[in-house]
Amino acid sequence: PNVFSPNGDGVNDVFNISIVGQDDFELMIFDRWGNQLFNTTNPNEGWDGTYNGNDLPAGTYYYIIQLTESTGSLINQSGPITIIR
């Protein structure tokens, strides 16, 4: 899914990635101007649609995922993620 609704209702409030068997992981979130809003190397931590503790407005943001599989293969994936409030 590329849409989530961080409105505190307990449903679809966090953008997270489910991965298994990777050695290195990084998730980065950017705004449309290229400013980094979120970064984690913990695959169990997701983005809640905030920046510096403030809710970001509805709109489209961009994610980059970089990970290394247990086989040593490097994987890069990116795309849009939309917040609906």
Side-chain angles (χ1 to χ4, degrees):
N2 63 352
V3 176
F4 74 115
S5 58
N7 57 10
D9 67 356
V11 177
N12 205 21
D13 285 333
V14 176
F15 174 68
N16 56 11
I17 307 299
S18 297
I19 62 169
V20 176
Q22 282 72 30
D23 293 332
D24 294 315
F25 168 85
E26 185 172 19
L27 168 63
M28 298 165 279
I29 306 289
F30 298 88
D31 65 15
R32 66 176 125 183
W33 297 281
N35 299 310
Q36 188 170 347
L37 306 174
F38 178 79
N39 182 15
T40 186
T41 57
N42 180 350
N44 298 314
E45 181 181 9
W47 180 49
D48 63 0
T50 63
Y51 178 65
N52 287 337
N54 298 309
D55 289 343
L56 290 168
T60 301
Y61 299 86
Y62 300 90
Y63 69 86
I64 297 175
I65 300 167
Q66 297 177 333
L67 57 92
T68 303
E69 293 185 307
S70 57
T71 62
S73 298
L74 179 63
I75 296 175
N76 290 305
Q77 182 150 3
S78 62
I81 182 73
T82 301
I83 292 177
I84 297 175
R85 295 218 183 255

